[in-house]
Amino acid sequence: MAVAAVVRRVCLAAQILLLLGNSPVSAMLERYLFSAAEVHEFGARCLDGSPSGFFYEKGAQSKKWVLYLEGGGICETQEACEERSHTNLGSSTKWQASFTGSGLLSSNASEAGAFSDWSHIFIPYCGGDVHCGQTWVPNEWNLYFAGHLTIVAVMEKLILAGNFISATDILLSGESAGGIGAFEHVDFFASRFPNAHVRGSPQGGYFYAGTPQSYAQFVGNQTPPARTSALYDLYNASVNQACRKENPSHPYLCGPANVGFLLKYIQTPVFVAENKFDSNQIFGQMKCPHEKTAEVTKYVEYYGANMWSSVRERVIGSPLGHGLYFPACLLHTGNLHSPFDTRAISGVTYGQSLADWYLGAKAYSHILYENSTVPDC
């Protein structure tokens, strides 16, 4: 390695050590934007080409880490991606300098339980690519999909700073698109840190349970079209390596957003938090109308049954010891973000079960689900 490169990496390490080492134990997470040199080295960019980054809080437990991937949909057309590139979900130019952590990123024990005094990392979502993109140069729209490259950059910067290399515990979480990213990356972190206790807990990221019918297909009794490589190609997506190895001719089946298929290849235990009747999937993605009709009722019931069938096989039926919080709610992630303040199932909250599962204890059940065939929350 050239002397200049060595000097640059040492200076970058010193900068991050200063930032992380002086962080007070509080609920405030401080912003770190990648420098031009780091962007060049790792390709860590937002859609518009601005540097991506992360927010951090160094907790009392400096070797225990919660990493949380932000959610926020996807973009898959030029018009939608260009519009997104002018927002915080596509550019870092207007990111705030700090924010107060909540949910698993909170330093309040009543909100984050056993994870409250861990060190916290929040990875903003500015690629529109479910954190899986790895494009190093702008595409024909003059935009970047670099979500995976950003995650790699965050990991490498923390290792360089000396904070991550000795990690003993890592919990990877995220909601919605961030939940998809957590499913896709949990094995990646486990392989990178073989001596750490790595687990995942995606929230509202179970997109999709197989290939469900859209509302129009359900009403018209039509078969859904076969899955294509469109998103995989658009994002130049990074996918789970075990899944790719088993599906070399069709790596797009491993993601993005094909969790029902992917989960059978994931080798690291995950605690899945998912609503049986995911409202974003039903109304947003599958275009079910917000109407009180017999057809809508039947479709919602169908969707919940399809979700349950997949979860029962992939989560409950897995020999890895996955955990599950599966309320019969017609919601997306609003009721999942704060695990220790969730609707109790059999007297146990998502947070209580998650912490017990992560620690390898047996005080609570780690499989929590509701049997209702219709939404009741």
Side-chain angles (χ1 to χ4, degrees), residues 9-324:
R9 290 179 70 88
V10 170
C11 290
L12 291 173
Q15 181 184 12
I16 300 173
L17 276 170
L18 178 63
L19 288 168
L20 290 176
N22 292 336
S23 297
V25 178
S26 72
M28 295 299 294
L29 283 86
E30 306 294 331
R31 183 187 65 201
Y32 180 83
L33 290 180
F34 292 114
S35 67
E38 291 170 310
V39 171
H40 177 76
E41 182 176 1
F42 296 108
R45 297 177 174 90
C46 295
L47 266 174
D48 68 343
S50 60
S52 55
F54 58 96
F55 288 75
Y56 59 87
E57 176 209 357
K58 185 178 180 182
Q61 299 279 358
S62 61
K63 294 185 179 182
K64 299 176 184 290
W65 295 82
V66 173
L67 287 89
Y68 197 89
L69 307 181
E70 183 182 20
I74 65 170
C75 71
E76 51 188 314
T77 66
Q78 181 173 358
E79 180 181 5
C81 292
E82 287 179 345
E83 180 178 349
R84 187 185 183 99
S85 71
H86 298 292
T87 73
N88 283 345
L89 289 173
S91 174
S92 65
T93 56
K94 296 182 181 179
W95 285 358
Q96 57 197 15
S98 62
F99 73 95
T100 302
S102 61
L104 289 172
L105 297 177
S106 174
S107 62
N108 188 329
S110 65
E111 191 170 359
F115 307 104
S116 61
D117 63 350
W118 288 27
S119 295
H120 299 137
I121 295 291
F122 175 77
I123 302 179
Y125 181 35
C126 66
D129 55 3
V130 296
H131 297 275
C132 292
Q134 45 183 353
T135 59
W136 283 82
V137 297
N139 64 9
E140 63 271 25
W141 306 336
N142 199 34
L143 299 172
Y144 296 84
F145 296 107
H148 173 70
L149 300 181
T150 291
I151 290 176
V152 172
V154 171
M155 181 178 67
E156 292 299 333
K157 291 298 99 180
L158 292 173
I159 290 174
L160 186 61
N163 289 271
F164 227 41
I165 195 66
S166 58
T168 59
D169 293 85
I170 299 173
L171 177 66
L172 179 64
S173 186
E175 62 182 350
S176 193
I180 299 173
F183 276 116
E184 287 285 0
H185 285 91
V186 66
D187 278 354
F188 177 75
F189 274 90
S191 65
R192 190 66 178 82
F193 300 95
N195 296 322
H197 184 62
V198 179
R199 297 291 184 266
S201 187
Q203 301 171 345
Y206 206 99
F207 288 77
Y208 293 95
T211 307
Q213 292 173 299
S214 67
Y215 177 76
Q217 292 162 351
F218 178 81
V219 172
N221 195 27
Q222 301 168 345
T223 301
R227 188 174 182 84
T228 73
S229 65
L231 287 181
Y232 174 84
D233 295 336
L234 177 63
Y235 302 151
N236 187 28
S238 169
V239 297
N240 179 279
Q241 291 305 299
C243 183
R244 176 191 285 272
K245 183 178 180 180
E246 291 297 317
N247 300 277
S249 300
H250 306 286
Y252 60 87
L253 293 175
C254 304
N258 196 19
V259 170
F261 179 81
L262 167 66
L263 192 50
K264 67 180 178 180
Y265 297 102
I266 291 177
Q267 299 167 5
T268 306
V270 293
F271 192 110
V272 177
E274 181 68 43
N275 285 300
K276 183 175 184 177
F277 307 95
D278 189 304
S279 60
N280 179 274
Q281 295 187 34
I282 291 173
F283 298 116
Q285 309 307 317
M286 299 300 160
K287 307 302 181 185
C288 178
H290 287 270
E291 300 173 355
K292 294 183 178 180
T293 65
E295 289 82 3
V296 167
T297 297
K298 290 178 182 178
Y299 183 72
V300 171
E301 292 177 0
Y302 151 78
Y303 208 88
N306 186 63
M307 183 74 84
W308 168 239
S309 177
S310 179
V311 165
R312 184 174 54 201
E313 177 182 0
R314 300 293 188 217
V315 181
I316 299 177
S318 170
L320 289 180
H322 295 318
L324 177 67

